């Protein structure tokens, strides 16, 4: 490494047979323009982008299309069910997405009511079961609940994506203990999804040991989205390095960095 911050080329992650160097996944919504969307995604270094099928134009050539700004040959599109509040609506949305674009790797999210939009887990289980039966490879947004995450994994979901905090809240990781419990017990990739507001929180998620971080609002709502995208890329890399390095133990008494018994003055 020669002391440099290396890329993750030799430390990639894999989901459903797709391998990625970048451990940052970003969304494509909430930006001021498609030009800003493209610039921020480029700056982030992400290789996978989520696409809200119900909110983004993917098929009408008479209107600006996401594909004209974010090349699907360069980025892996991950259609999602943002805005769906029932299992039936989520399943219908992803079936239509597969018909339109051939996408099989998808992100499932079924949300409860405002103001918290917390994952509706009974509906999520129902939708996941139907999609897996249809042959979809399901990455699933879920509660920060180790039992729910394990059930989704055992059903056949290819990745679990527990929330850090409610969608768009920017509150960071409100329950790192539960996130760590999910990570330690999972045999599929774990991505912290939703709630991250700034770079230090993305680094914290990676330090916990998650495989990747998914975020959107933290970049799109920043005063300078492109600069924040660069910050998120660096934070995810730093957090991954810190996880692999292994942090020093916490100690509730002082431990001088210069040993007193060595006889050496430092």
């Amino acid at each position: 490494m020669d002391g440099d911050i290396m890329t993750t080329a030799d430390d990639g992650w894999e989901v459903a047979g797709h391998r990625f160097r970048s451990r940052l996944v970003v969304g494509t919504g909430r930006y001021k323009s498609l030009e800003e969307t493209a610039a921020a995604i480029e700056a982030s270094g992400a290789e996978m982008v989520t696409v809200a099928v119900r909110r983004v134009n993917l098929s009408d050539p008479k209107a600006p299309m996401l594909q004209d700004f974010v090349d699907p040959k360069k980025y892996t599109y991950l259609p999602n069910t943002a805005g769906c509040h029932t299992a039936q609506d989520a399943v219908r949305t992803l079936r239509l997405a597969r018909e339109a674009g051939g996408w099989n790797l998808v992100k499932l999210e079924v949300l409860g009511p405002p103001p918290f939009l917390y994952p509706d887990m009974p509906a999520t289980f129902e939708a996941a079961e139907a999609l897996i039966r249809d042959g979809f490879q399901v990455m699933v947004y879920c509660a920060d609940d180790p039992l729910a995450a394990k059930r989704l994994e055992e059903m056949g979901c290819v990745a679990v994506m527990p929330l850090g905090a409610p969608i768009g809240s920017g509150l960071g990781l409100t329950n790192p203990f539960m996130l760590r419990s999910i990570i330690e017990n999972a045999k599929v990739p774990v991505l912290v999804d939703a709630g991250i507001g700034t770079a230090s929180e993305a680094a914290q998620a990676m330090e916990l040991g998650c495989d990747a971080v998914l975020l959107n609002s933290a970049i799109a709502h920043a005063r300078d989205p492109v600069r924040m995208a660069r910050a998120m890329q660096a934070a995810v890399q730093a957090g991954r390095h810190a996880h692999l390095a292994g942090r020093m133990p916490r100690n509730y008494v002082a431990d001088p960095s210069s040993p007193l018994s060595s006889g050496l003055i430092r």
Side-chain angles (χ1 to χ4, degrees):
M1 292 187 293
D2 297 326
D4 294 331
I5 296 180
M6 67 175 185
T7 66
T8 52
D10 59 344
D11 180 39
W13 68 287
E14 186 172 319
V15 58
H18 301 265
R19 188 157 185 84
F20 301 95
R21 296 184 303 276
S22 173
R23 292 178 180 268
L24 177 61
V25 181
V26 296
T28 54
R30 297 178 174 267
Y31 290 92
K32 298 181 182 69
S33 66
L34 285 171
E35 289 83 359
E36 184 180 76
T37 303
I41 291 173
E42 177 72 22
S44 76
E47 298 167 296
M48 177 191 284
V49 297
T50 62
V51 180
V53 177
R54 295 168 48 134
R55 297 173 177 168
V56 174
N57 177 31
L58 296 170
S59 58
D60 182 3
K62 297 179 182 179
M65 297 176 66
L66 179 66
Q67 298 97 311
D68 295 332
F69 295 84
V70 181
D71 187 353
K73 295 180 180 178
K74 180 178 180 180
Y75 299 98
T76 297
Y77 274 32
L78 183 68
N80 71 34
T81 56
C84 292
H85 293 270
T86 68
Q88 295 77 14
D89 199 10
V91 171
R92 185 184 312 113
T93 296
L94 291 177
R95 285 174 177 165
L96 290 172
R98 183 159 67 179
E99 290 178 10
W103 293 293
N104 203 50
L105 179 66
V106 296
K107 178 192 170 186
L108 169 65
E109 57 183 84
V110 186
L111 303 179
F116 301 112
L117 300 176
Y118 199 75
D120 182 332
M121 293 314 299
T124 298
F125 292 135
E126 180 183 347
E129 184 177 26
L131 291 167
I132 292 166
R133 190 167 56 242
D134 278 0
F136 284 93
Q137 297 167 318
V138 180
M139 301 174 67
V140 57
Y141 176 63
C142 62
D144 52 350
D145 176 351
L147 298 180
K150 180 54 69 173
R151 178 177 172 184
L152 290 164
E153 176 188 320
E154 292 173 347
M155 288 173 62
C157 292
V158 298
V160 293
M161 308 169 75
L163 80 168
I167 290 172
S169 67
L171 291 173
L173 307 187
T174 57
N175 201 338
F177 172 78
M178 284 301 185
L179 293 175
R180 182 68 177 268
S181 299
I182 292 171
I183 292 164
E184 289 181 344
N185 289 283
K187 296 180 181 178
V188 296
V190 177
L191 291 78
V192 170
D193 180 8
I196 287 175
T198 192
S200 60
E201 295 157 1
Q204 182 188 10
M206 294 304 301
E207 288 172 6
L208 288 175
C210 69
D211 294 278
V213 168
L214 193 157
L215 52 86
N216 187 113
S217 299
I219 295 176
H221 287 177
R223 287 196 300 272
D224 184 338
V226 172
R227 185 179 290 271
M228 182 61 81
R230 294 193 191 103
M232 290 298 185
Q233 179 188 37
V236 166
Q237 290 177 349
R240 178 63 178 172
H241 284 304
H243 172 69
L244 294 176
R247 64 159 289 140
M248 65 173 288
R250 287 182 171 86
N251 196 345
Y252 293 95
V253 296
D255 183 13
S257 57
S258 299
L260 300 178
S261 60
S262 68
L264 297 176
I265 298 176
R266 298 181 182 180

